[in-house]
Amino acid sequence: MEPIKSNNNKLPSNLPQLQNLIKRDSASYREEFERQHSVYEALCVIFEQNPTVYNNDLHQMVTFLSQVAQCYPDKLSGFPQELSVLLKRHSTVLHPEMRMSFVKALVLLRNKNLLSPTDLHMLFFQLLHCPDKNLRKFLKQHIVTDIKNINARSKNTKLNKELQNFMHEMLSSRHAVAAKTSLDVMIELYRKKVWNDTKTVNTIATACFSKVTKIMVAAIKFFVGRDEEEEGGGGESGSDSDSDNEEEKKSVKATMMALKVNKKTKKKQKKLDKVKAAVKKSHKDKKTKASYDFSALHLVHDPQSVAERLYRRLEKMNERFEVKLMTMNFISRLIGVHQLYLPNFYPLVTRFLFPHQREVTKVMVFAAQAAHPQVPPDDLSPVLRTLADNFVTERYSGEVMAMGLNAIRELCARNPFCMSADLLQDLTQYKTHKDKGVMMAARSLIALFREKNPELLYKKDRGAPTELGAEKRHENFGENRAVDYIPGAEILAYKTEGDEGLGTSDDESDDNWVDMSDDESDSNTPKGKKETKEEKSKDGEEMDEDGEEKVFTAKEALQEVMKLTSEERAQKAADIACSRFLTDEDFARIAATQAAKKVEKFTQSKKKKQRGKKRKATDEPTKAGTGELVPLKNIEMIFKKRKHDKDARLETVAAGREGREKYGAKKGRMNPQASTTNREKIKGKSFMMLKHKVAGKQKQSFRTKQMKLRNSLLKQKKFR
């Protein structure tokens, strides 16, 4: 080390070089370090006399000591406390650059574990009182990063509780900036999935009742806003969507193979299209049910009291209209997600349901979100009636009427019990409206009640009853029927060839494909073999007369299911669910069977007629399309024809004429040498030659017609 120590006379004025040498060999340069430390103590005494002045020497010395503090722990053990005392004593009067240098030195000491995180964060929250925007931004960023690094490998529960309790106290602080920064830190840590527990969420929920508007708005935004990472749609979300699409394709293929026939007809093709649409809709409904829009809403401890307190504040609120909308949104989400009962909220929403109201579509969304099956129909009926009276009227434009019908549909999708038969039948009359948006909105309302409660519709609007609808019954308000079986599992009682059921491959023969349009008498059973009474085995599968397990084709199995009554299907499905574990192939067969029931028309078979059992084709209220949150696009869904300019219209007309020359009028003459007609000759004449004809074709005035009529009547009277 002798060559390095040859420049010792230059070291006091070159602190970065001394810092490098000390880190390499701290013992050899202890004397130089002690000399610099004594200089630091002298500079501190001078700085205490006038702390408002920027001292560059002290700034460099603090940076130097913070870099080498880990090399001399005995000498610099109290160095972090000395800096903390300086900051606490002169925090508001320090020069901004001097204050920032002290803060950065403390951050460096914290990164070297020479300072506890609790003491540092308490000091930083006290420094938030300083009128320095850059300093507050730096402090907030460091607090978030430090807590994230502490919980990187494993969660430090003890330290997290201390910091959470401290930040909870800061939320009730009189200093608004410190409280707002504490709230921002907790929100940021929740979004980074560091503090994503119930304690953090409920601490943020207390900020919704702050008297400071900025704090209240930030807390409400946390609950009603969307996570940026979830909206970004990263690689994980993309892979999930790809897997969902693959699963959907497999189910659609299995169902189509189950309904495929040897001979293609238009009727069979329509049925295949219906089944395909039904399978896609079922998969879409499953994805909608499983996903939550924001999980923080589910972690609130006492949502009823939170909603009531917010409602009382909303009634007396004098803030901007945007703040009122955010509060209404939060209350409606709490009511819908937790199925709360807050009857006074619905009259409040009704006051804003007018076409001229600003942001009225968002208010419609809030009214729909606050509806759930446990709300009494008497509370929601006024909201429904207000939407119908104020929007679905002929005095407004088609867009207003369409949005009103869409809002009614979204509200009834969550609570269909508030709709009356008279009102629904009046609204369905708009299915033939001249405006396309109104027509589509009315038809979507009809489609909804075909599933929810078709008895409220006119008989002509109910549609043909299906096998799936015949199995279900309409529930009344407050009624909840639970089943102990999986609907559609009765298909598993019939063993098919290859035990693959409806999910057959393309290589299988056409004999295994099911023809849904065939009658019950049309089957592949040999004529010489008579079917006897079948016996059930212990696991629910069918046995033939010899005691052996009977093997069906996929077509025969589905036909056997369609012959059963609803009670028999439920019994078979319950036996299957209690006797075996279901595989992915079994669920594929169940899904395909349920999709087939959706499009298969319900008919009374001979077996049912003999028993004299009559059933009504009503649907059970389903949760399809009733997610926790109502997207705004569902209310603003307006179908209109695109406006074309003249060139686009002419191009469309020309495209429609292609290939139809033989159906159009024949232009030209059969003999091109023939002379022209008189009408064609008139086109080439001058106006002076046609003036006398044009004068005779001019329109007469009303007075002239009056005189002519009088003269003709007098003439007729004279001859009489």
Side-chain angles (χ1 to χ4, degrees):
M1 300 300 294
E2 292 299 330
I4 297 177
K5 296 187 72 173
S6 60
N7 294 328
N8 279 349
N9 54 348
K10 299 181 181 180
L11 288 179
S13 60
N14 194 351
L15 291 179
Q17 185 178 359
L18 178 61
Q19 168 188 322
N20 183 26
L21 295 173
I22 289 176
K23 287 182 179 180
R24 293 166 63 183
D25 189 3
S26 58
S28 302
Y29 293 91
R30 188 176 185 86
E31 183 180 351
E32 288 79 359
F33 165 74
E34 291 177 352
R35 192 181 306 139
Q36 297 300 328
H37 188 263
S38 61
V39 173
Y40 160 73
E41 292 176 347
L43 289 174
C44 284
V45 174
I46 298 172
F47 177 76
E48 287 283 352
Q49 298 175 0
N50 191 5
T52 59
V53 180
Y54 175 70
N55 192 334
N56 188 34
D57 294 336
L58 180 60
H59 166 66
Q60 293 182 359
M61 191 60 63
V62 168
T63 304
F64 166 73
L65 293 178
S66 62
Q67 290 285 347
V68 299
Q70 74 278 9
C71 299
Y72 305 102
D74 54 340
K75 223 23 178 165
L76 296 177
S77 59
F79 178 63
Q81 284 72 25
E82 294 174 4
L83 291 180
S84 300
V85 170
L86 284 175
L87 284 172
K88 288 179 182 179
R89 189 180 303 166
H90 311 291
S91 59
T92 56
V93 298
L94 282 174
H95 191 274
E97 294 184 6
M98 203 72 205
R99 186 167 48 217
M100 183 64 77
S101 65
F102 289 168
V103 168
K104 289 183 178 180
L106 287 174
V107 170
L108 187 59
L109 294 172
R110 167 70 192 99
N111 294 336
K112 295 178 180 180
N113 291 326
L114 300 177
L115 184 63
S116 65
T118 306
D119 297 338
L120 182 64
H121 293 168
M122 293 176 66
L123 173 63
F124 281 0
F125 274 100
Q126 292 179 9
L127 294 178
L128 292 173
H129 298 262
C130 301
D132 190 350
K133 188 175 182 180
N134 294 329
L135 176 67
R136 292 198 298 266
K137 184 178 179 181
F138 177 80
L139 294 177
K140 174 186 171 183
Q141 184 178 2
H142 170 72
I143 292 172
V144 173
T145 306
D146 189 24
I147 297 176
K148 182 180 177 182
N149 293 336
I150 290 173
N151 297 274
R153 293 185 179 179
S154 61
K155 297 218 173 187
N156 192 338
T157 308
K158 183 179 179 180
L159 182 61
N160 288 339
K161 284 184 178 180
E162 293 179 1
L163 295 176
Q164 285 174 346
N165 294 333
F166 174 70
M167 290 186 183
H168 183 71
E169 295 176 0
M170 292 302 300
L171 279 177
S172 57
S173 174
R174 294 182 178 180
H175 196 270
V177 178
K180 177 68 166 55
T181 305
S182 176
L183 178 63
D184 292 340
V185 167
M186 286 190 289
I187 291 175
E188 190 68 22
L189 289 172
Y190 182 88
R191 289 179 176 171
K192 291 182 179 295
K193 299 181 179 180
V194 179
W195 283 1
N196 54 351
D197 54 350
T198 57
K199 186 173 183 178
T200 304
V201 172
N202 287 276
T203 303
I204 297 173
T206 59
C208 296
F209 311 104
S210 175
K211 296 181 180 179
V212 182
T213 306
K214 285 188 176 181
I215 298 176
M216 181 190 70
V217 170
I220 294 177
K221 272 186 178 180
F222 166 73
F223 288 101
V224 302
R226 288 182 178 272
D227 198 350
E228 296 178 359
E229 296 179 359
E230 293 179 1
E231 286 185 350
E236 296 179 1
S237 62
S239 61
D240 293 341
S241 62
D242 294 340
S243 62
D244 292 338
N245 291 334
E246 291 178 1
E247 182 181 357
E248 182 179 320
K249 288 179 181 179
K250 289 180 181 179
S251 299
V252 171
K253 182 179 178 182
T255 308
M256 290 178 65
M257 292 299 296
L259 299 176
K260 203 169 182 181
V261 293
N262 295 334
K263 184 178 180 181
K264 293 183 179 179
T265 61
K266 290 184 178 180
K267 182 178 179 181
K268 307 294 173 53
Q269 186 62 35
K270 287 182 180 179
K271 190 166 292 186
L272 288 175
D273 296 339
K274 287 183 180 179
V275 171
K276 188 174 180 180
V279 173
K280 285 186 177 181
K281 186 175 183 300
S282 63
H283 279 274
K284 184 178 180 181
D285 295 342
K286 288 179 182 179
K287 289 188 288 184
T288 306
K289 294 178 203 173
S291 61
Y292 296 112
D293 293 278
F294 205 87
S295 60
L297 288 172
H298 302 264
L299 301 179
V300 179
H301 278 160
D302 192 1
Q304 182 70 37
S305 63
V306 172
E308 290 176 355
R309 291 179 62 187
L310 280 173
Y311 172 74
R312 287 195 295 269
R313 181 166 185 176
L314 178 62
E315 284 185 320
K316 304 176 183 178
M317 186 177 290
N318 294 324
E319 303 291 342
R320 292 181 299 132
F321 184 66
E322 290 78 11
V323 180
K324 291 183 179 180
L325 282 180
M326 291 176 57
T327 310
M328 291 171 63
N329 190 8
F330 185 30
I331 295 173
S332 66
R333 291 193 183 192
L334 282 174
I335 294 173
V337 170
H338 296 277
Q339 296 192 354
L340 309 178
Y341 182 58
L342 193 65
N344 295 334
F345 179 73
Y346 304 104
L348 176 68
V349 175
T350 307
R351 298 206 306 256
F352 296 94
L353 291 176
F354 292 96
H356 59 270
Q357 174 66 47
R358 186 159 52 110
E359 302 289 349
V360 67
T361 54
K362 292 184 179 179
V363 181
M364 292 178 177
V365 169
F366 306 155
Q369 283 179 169
H372 56 83
Q374 305 302 323
V375 180
D378 295 338
D379 294 336
L380 288 177
S381 296
V383 182
L384 200 65
R385 175 59 67 177
T386 303
L387 287 171
D389 294 342
N390 295 349
F391 291 89
V392 192
T393 57
E394 293 289 347
R395 65 177 179 268
Y396 292 119
S397 62
E399 290 82 0
V400 175
M401 296 175 64
M403 287 190 294
L405 287 170
N406 289 335
I408 291 173
R409 183 196 67 232
E410 291 297 326
L411 193 147
C412 292
R414 287 151 180 79
N415 190 323
F417 311 110
C418 59
M419 176 64 75
S420 62
D422 295 336
L423 178 59
L424 179 61
Q425 290 169 6
D426 290 341
L427 295 177
T428 54
Q429 298 303 314
Y430 290 100
K431 65 182 179 180
T432 57
H433 197 270
K434 60 182 179 180
D435 188 87
K436 187 177 181 182
V438 179
M439 177 192 67
M440 296 297 291
R443 292 185 179 182
S444 65
L445 187 63
I446 293 173
L448 172 69
F449 275 91
R450 281 181 179 177
E451 293 184 0
K452 299 291 184 181
N453 189 3
E455 292 181 352
L456 296 180
L457 294 167
Y458 282 122
K459 191 172 182 180
K460 62 181 180 180
D461 294 332
R462 296 176 186 175
T466 61
E467 288 287 342
L468 186 62
E471 291 182 1
K472 300 179 180 179
R473 293 184 300 165
H474 171 63
E475 292 180 357
N476 299 319
F477 173 70
E479 184 180 6
N480 188 12
R481 298 189 183 97
V483 295
D484 57 351
Y485 62 92
I486 301 175
E490 63 271 7
I491 191 66
L492 303 179
Y494 303 94
K495 184 176 181 181
T496 57
E497 297 176 358
D499 201 19
E500 294 181 359
L502 299 177
T504 54
S505 62
D506 295 334
D507 299 334
E508 291 188 3
S509 61
D510 296 340
D511 294 337
N512 291 338
W513 295 343
V514 179
D515 184 5
M516 293 284 297
S517 63
D518 291 344
D519 296 331
E520 295 173 359
S521 59
D522 183 15
S523 61
N524 294 338
T525 307
K527 296 181 180 179
K529 182 178 180 180
K530 292 185 178 181
E531 294 185 2
T532 60
K533 187 176 180 180
E534 296 173 345
E535 298 178 356
K536 286 186 179 180
S537 62
K538 292 182 181 180
D539 58 354
E541 294 186 351
E542 297 293 333
M543 308 292 290
D544 58 9
E545 57 184 358
D546 298 332
E548 297 179 356
E549 191 173 346
K550 186 176 180 180
V551 179
F552 295 86
T553 62
K555 171 183 175 180
E556 293 173 341
L558 193 55
Q559 286 179 350
E560 292 294 328
V561 169
M562 296 302 176
K563 292 178 184 178
L564 301 175
T565 62
S566 60
E567 292 79 6
E568 293 173 348
R569 292 178 187 176
Q571 184 61 38
K572 278 183 174 291
D575 294 341
I576 290 294
C578 297
S579 60
R580 56 184 288 187
F581 292 103
L582 302 184
T583 62
D584 293 340
E585 290 78 9
D586 295 337
F587 282 109
R589 292 182 64 190
I590 292 172
T593 304
Q594 293 297 97
K597 289 180 184 178
K598 286 185 179 181
V599 298
E600 180 65 14
K601 293 183 179 180
F602 170 69
T603 55
Q604 292 279 3
S605 64
K606 295 179 181 178
K607 185 177 182 180
K608 298 171 188 176
K609 285 180 180 179
Q610 291 174 358
R611 296 182 180 181
K613 294 185 179 181
K614 296 181 180 180
R615 297 177 297 173
K616 294 182 180 180
T618 58
D619 286 345
E620 179 187 5
T622 60
K623 295 182 180 179
T626 57
E628 293 179 350
L629 304 185
V630 180
L632 188 61
K633 63 181 180 180
N634 289 2
I635 304 294
E636 298 177 348
M637 188 185 303
I638 299 173
F639 297 90
K640 292 184 67 176
K641 292 183 179 180
R642 294 181 179 178
K643 293 183 178 180
H644 295 290
D645 53 1
K646 187 174 181 180
D647 296 336
R649 289 197 303 269
L650 292 176
E651 185 178 354
T652 305
V653 171
R657 288 176 178 174
E658 293 180 359
R660 299 187 57 84
E661 291 80 5
K662 61 179 181 178
Y663 302 106
K666 295 181 180 179
K667 296 182 179 180
R669 299 174 178 80
M670 297 179 62
N671 184 10
Q673 304 300 329
S675 62
T676 58
T677 61
N678 290 337
R679 183 173 292 184
E680 291 175 345
K681 289 175 182 177
I682 288 175
K683 294 180 181 180
K685 293 180 179 181
S686 62
F687 178 73
M688 297 303 295
M689 298 175 67
L690 303 173
K691 186 171 63 172
H692 61 285
K693 289 189 176 182
V694 174
K697 294 182 179 180
Q698 288 182 354
K699 293 184 178 180
Q700 297 176 349
S701 65
F702 180 74
R703 178 61 180 166
T704 305
K705 291 180 180 180
Q706 242 182 352
M707 296 296 293
K708 284 187 176 183
L709 178 62
R710 189 191 65 176
N711 294 336
S712 62
L713 292 175
L714 290 173
K715 190 174 181 180
Q716 291 176 6
K717 188 176 181 181
K718 185 186 296 184
F719 283 109
R720 288 178 183 175

